[in-house]
Amino acid sequence: MLHYIDTRQGSNNKHSYSNGNTLPYTSVPFGMNHFVVQTNDQGSWFFNPNDRVFQGIRLTHQPSPWMGDFAHFLMTPVADDKIRGSIFSCQSSYRPEEAIFKPHYVRVKQQRYNITTELVPSCYGASLRIKYNSSQQAGLVLNAKGKSSLQWDAASRKVSGFISNFSGCQDENFGIYIVMTFNKDIDPSTSGFYNAKEQLENVAVLEGTDQHAVIRFTDCEKDTLEVKLATSFISLEQAELNYQREIATSFEDMKEEAANAWNHYLNKIKVTHHNEEYLKTFYTCLYRMFLFPQKFYELDGNMEPIHYDTTAKAVKKGILYTNNGFWDTYKTVYPLYSIIAPQEYKEMLEGYLNSYREAGFLPKWLSPDERGLMPGTLIDAVIADAAVKGIADPLLPELLEAMLKAATTQSEMNIYGRQGTLDYLKYGYVPSNYHESVNHTLDYAYSDYCISRVADVLGNTELADRYRQSALNYRNIFDSETGFMRAKDQNGQFRPDFNDTSWGLDYAEGSAWQTSFAVFQDFEGLIEGYGSKERFFNKITELCNKAPDFDVKGYGFEIHEMSEMAAIDFGQVAISNQPSFHIPYLFNYVGQPASSQVVIKQILTNLFNSGFDGFPGDEDNGSMAGWYVFSSMGFYPVCPGSGEYVLGIPLFDSVTIELPNGKQMQVHTDNNNPQSNFVANVTLDGEDYTKLYIKHEDIMDGKTLDFRLGLAPSFRQYEQDEIPFSISKK
């Protein structure tokens, strides 16, 4: 499926507007390093597909431009003695339309130097093949921002050292160790680094800040330089060990291994459609779901996992993963892993347990360690979903302990755990003196539900019942008069001067419209709060039909999520951001699936594509790509932890999911054409199926789901047990 993928999907961005805010990563699935063509030196937005400038290939660990990078450096082939001590002096034009951007392979030709550079990745390093076609001396520039200590050894044709640069980390000396070797001799007389006066200092040991080193080679003009690279976060010795394990692999063999690693995952889901653009979009989205989280552990001399603990500033035994924001990924990424990659899912949970053991709290946003961003502790949903699907049984007692700690203990460091924990326990909501208090309250109530689900699996009935009750705390901030969740002060009074389109202050990256329906665990109860299904239906219909207006009061300026909602013009369905992902499916909860179907199909066919503007907003760590993958298959995990997937409308003629138990789950769609926006009928394993959801067991049992689409919506009265799960139905 790699031929469908161009990694530049969604990469045409700037800080004020996102078409994905993606980078064209070349890597292996969950690899420790990513490699990206750099086209400009403008902070986090260092690549744009429309730039025609090549500054080099960057080893990067940037999960999002809003998080920034850690442990990065730039490699730029050159064949010119006129370069100086800056990236600008080395850069070259290139032709983006001729370059190759694949998950397992990247190739760029520099017009200035007539150099063609190819790179293939491994888990801990990469192999480069650089073809020089000039009579000038061949060279390779290493640009290392931040602190670095590098040295080159002409006798062994090697560069090694340490680079420290990060956006945020609890270890002020954290960095990456590198080992790089060449198949050509280093020329000591022309290698070194450029000082502040842009003069070349011919030395073999380079120490300082913002280094701009150049390694030049003998007998490499009009020849091919082969570079092998390995890295480590542990030590130079471990980098050497990682290197030794990969040195015997040729460039072509490494390329094939990387391709096979990607096809292992991409081939797990096969879709068909006559429109090839849909296939390109699907498989590029699917690729994005296996980039993060990244491995943050290595294998020692005994092939045992070890990692660097930035809190203790020491090497520890065990698995560790990084670069993941659970506020984003719990919604789609981990539910997909539960279907096609449960063993990897289990290993990740083991890594997150190690984060808990070392930091005292489960992670919220790792990059490389806890950054403490976004409301809630949504890793709880990742744990609960694994628990009800039987993925993490041996780990559950300690995971539950970790969930309970965050639910009952206020950390002295506000980057950890829940904010306002004690006030939430006291009032049953987070008061308005806390920033984004409405989101905190709703997320904690959902996390309480997730705790109850893990307790259920472990047979702790009393604990499950207690947290199932506190999962109803969303009711404490529901204003039945307006139909919105609103911030309350410590005296139980709603904040005055309410404006339903005001973003920020009480709401995270949205207004009351996007936030008030985050009651995944109990939509039945929320509907009861409205007084009737009709009133709830009218409210979410109004949400879809209301103009995409917004008030910037809470932020004081227009943030990019506001701009994107206004631009796509899908009412207040701000599908450009994670809080709205479930909104198109809400009509199912009042037995009106036709409204969900038409909204979902319009989003799938109008707001996603495989191009540079491929997403309607930030594609964070695979989360938005996951929305497309699930929704295009015809079902979506509205409530992780429930074991259910709410039905929508499939985009593809057929879907075949290769399951880890050896079975296949299939989805077939009849009468699948652009004008058919509604589901006429559904069968499951050949029997008429009237429920508006399927269970995880239906998928894992390899059942066949058949949809027939129609031009007009079907009408029927749905029974209560045909509506997706809610606590209030128990």
Side-chain angles (χ1 to χ4, degrees), residues 16 66 503 509 559-566 574 576-577 618:
S16 59
W66 310 110
W503 283 50
E509 297 182 0
I559 65 173
H560 75 91
E561 289 88 353
M562 300 174 188
S563 307
E564 291 142 19
M565 182 184 74
S576 51
N577 206 19
D618 279 0

Side-chain angles (χ1 to χ4, degrees), residues 203-434:
V203 296
V205 178
L206 323 172
E207 290 197 32
T209 302
D210 296 341
Q211 296 273 16
H212 195 79
V214 59
I215 310 299
R216 289 192 170 93
F217 305 94
T218 62
D219 301 322
C220 194
E221 298 80 7
K222 296 187 177 180
D223 203 350
T224 299
L225 176 70
E226 294 186 4
V227 184
K228 285 190 176 291
L229 164 69
T231 66
S232 172
F233 290 115
I234 293 171
S235 66
L236 193 57
E237 292 74 21
Q238 182 65 42
E240 291 275 8
L241 183 58
N242 295 341
Y243 172 84
Q244 291 298 329
R245 287 171 176 157
E246 297 175 351
I247 190 172
T249 306
S250 68
F251 183 93
E252 291 299 332
D253 286 345
M254 190 178 290
K255 181 180 180 182
E256 184 177 1
E257 288 176 4
N260 290 340
W262 279 110
N263 283 325
H264 170 74
Y265 292 104
L266 297 173
N267 288 334
K268 287 182 181 291
I269 305 179
K270 296 182 175 66
V271 297
T272 64
H273 199 281
H274 65 274
N275 187 338
E276 189 174 83
E277 169 59 22
Y278 291 167
L279 303 180
K280 290 179 178 179
T281 304
F282 181 87
Y283 284 108
T284 310
C285 285
L286 189 60
Y287 136 80
R288 294 206 59 82
M289 299 185 74
F290 296 97
L291 290 165
F292 301 101
Q294 289 177 264
K295 289 180 179 177
F296 201 56
Y297 70 88
E298 302 164 54
L299 301 176
D300 66 12
N302 297 317
M303 297 300 287
E304 295 294 328
I306 56 175
H307 63 269
Y308 186 71
D309 173 6
T310 61
T311 56
K313 303 178 182 179
V315 178
K316 299 285 186 67
K317 294 182 179 180
I319 302 293
L320 205 66
Y321 279 82
T322 190
N323 271 351
N324 204 246
F326 296 97
W327 193 77
D328 304 302
T329 55
Y330 84 89
K331 296 172 181 287
T332 60
V333 173
Y334 291 94
L336 187 75
Y337 296 167
S338 75
I339 297 172
I340 62 174
Q343 288 304 311
E344 293 88 332
Y345 192 167
K346 182 180 178 181
E347 182 178 281
M348 291 168 191
L349 288 172
E350 184 180 343
Y352 302 143
L353 256 184
N354 281 328
S355 291
Y356 164 68
R357 293 162 183 158
E358 293 166 4
F361 285 87
L362 286 167
K364 295 163 57 175
W365 228 122
L366 292 170
S367 183
D369 48 24
E370 184 59 69
R371 301 290 293 276
L373 299 181
M374 308 313 296
T377 52
L378 277 314
I379 191 174
D380 296 331
V382 175
I383 297 167
D385 208 43
V388 301
K389 295 171 180 176
I391 291 172
D393 291 350
L395 307 175
L396 286 184
E398 191 175 1
L399 286 168
L400 179 59
E401 168 198 306
M403 297 167 79
L404 289 169
K405 181 173 181 182
T408 58
T409 306
Q410 184 71 63
S411 172
E412 294 180 0
M413 297 178 63
N414 62 10
I415 61 172
Y416 292 116
R418 299 182 180 186
Q419 302 301 301
T421 308
L422 300 181
D423 279 344
Y424 174 75
L425 295 173
K426 178 179 180 180
Y427 300 109
Y429 60 90
V430 178
S432 56
N433 55 305
Y434 291 91

Side-chain angles (χ1 to χ4, degrees), residues 26 90 166-167 209 213 220 233 351 406 430 509 520 526 546 583 669:
T26 294
C90 299
F166 48 82
S167 294
T209 302
C220 194
F233 290 115
V430 178
E509 297 182 0
F520 317 108
L526 180 61
K546 184 178 175 62
I583 287 176
T669 310

Side-chain angles (χ1 to χ4, degrees), residues 437-722:
S437 65
V438 171
N439 287 79
H440 285 302
T441 298
L442 296 177
D443 288 345
Y444 299 169
Y446 175 50
S447 278
D448 287 349
Y449 161 74
C450 293
I451 291 173
S452 77
R453 295 296 281 153
V454 179
D456 278 331
V457 173
L458 291 173
N460 191 332
T461 304
E462 185 276 330
L463 186 69
D465 288 343
R466 176 151 46 98
Y467 275 91
R468 202 156 17 245
Q469 185 60 38
S470 61
L472 302 176
N473 280 343
Y474 72 88
R475 296 173 176 176
N476 296 330
I477 60 168
F478 180 65
D479 177 9
S480 59
E481 183 176 338
T482 63
F484 291 112
M485 301 291 173
R486 294 180 54 189
K488 277 184 177 178
D489 63 21
Q490 290 155 314
N491 296 316
Q493 300 299 309
F494 285 123
R495 187 187 295 279
D497 303 321
F498 175 68
N499 178 354
D500 61 22
T501 60
S502 181
W503 283 50
L505 187 61
D506 303 323
Y507 307 100
E509 297 182 0
S511 70
W513 282 103
Q514 292 77 48
T515 306
S516 297
F517 302 94
V519 187
F520 317 108
Q521 71 277 18
D522 194 33
F523 285 116
E524 183 71 20
L526 180 61
I527 292 165
E528 290 175 3
Y530 273 86
S532 69
K533 290 183 178 180
E534 181 181 8
R535 187 178 175 216
F536 183 82
F537 174 79
N538 290 338
K539 191 71 172 181
I540 55 178
T541 300
E542 182 185 0
L543 181 153
C544 294
N545 293 335
K546 184 178 175 62
D549 299 329
F550 55 86
D551 187 322
V552 305
K553 180 180 178 181
Y555 290 99
F557 53 88
E558 183 170 337
I559 65 173
H560 75 91
E561 289 88 353
M562 300 174 188
S563 307
E564 291 142 19
M565 182 184 74
I568 65 175
D569 199 13
F570 269 61
Q572 292 287 330
V573 185
I575 204 68
S576 51
N577 206 19
Q578 284 75 17
S580 293
F581 279 5
H582 65 292
I583 287 176
Y585 290 88
L586 291 183
F587 295 97
N588 280 19
Y589 290 83
V590 288
Q592 298 290 335
S595 293
S596 283
Q597 292 155 14
V598 69
V599 172
I600 292 164
K601 185 161 185 178
Q602 294 308 307
I603 292 172
L604 286 170
T605 55
N606 287 284
L607 300 184
F608 290 81
N609 61 71
S610 66
F612 301 161
D613 300 336
F615 297 98
D618 279 0
E619 200 301 280
D620 290 306
N621 294 170
S623 61
M624 186 174 286
W627 188 94
Y628 183 90
V629 167
F630 268 116
S631 296
S632 66
M633 292 193 298
F635 51 92
Y636 180 80
V638 168
C639 183
S642 68
E644 293 182 358
Y645 304 83
V646 180
L647 295 182
I649 182 169
L651 182 64
F652 294 102
D653 296 334
S654 70
V655 178
T656 301
I657 304 174
E658 301 289 343
L659 302 169
N661 58 15
K663 299 179 180 180
Q664 291 183 340
M665 193 266 190
Q666 296 188 349
V667 180
H668 301 138
T669 310
D670 190 23
N671 200 35
N672 187 20
N673 49 56
Q675 64 269 28
S676 294
N677 290 307
F678 304 99
V679 174
N681 67 280
V682 180
T683 65
L684 186 66
D685 265 1
E687 300 290 333
D688 284 342
Y689 192 75
T690 56
K691 293 181 179 180
L692 296 174
Y693 64 93
I694 57 173
K695 290 182 173 292
H696 187 68
E697 304 92 84
D698 295 325
I699 295 175
M700 302 312 290
D701 286 344
K703 293 184 178 179
T704 297
L705 191 61
D706 288 291
F707 292 83
R708 177 170 175 78
L709 306 189
L711 188 62
S714 299
F715 176 79
R716 68 179 301 275
Q717 295 285 349
Y718 286 88
E719 301 296 329
Q720 191 68 7
D721 67 347
E722 296 173 328

Side-chain angles (χ1 to χ4, degrees), residues 39-50:
T39 64
N40 64 74
D41 196 25
Q42 302 299 312
S44 294
W45 286 266
F46 54 80
F47 174 83
N48 189 282
N50 297 312

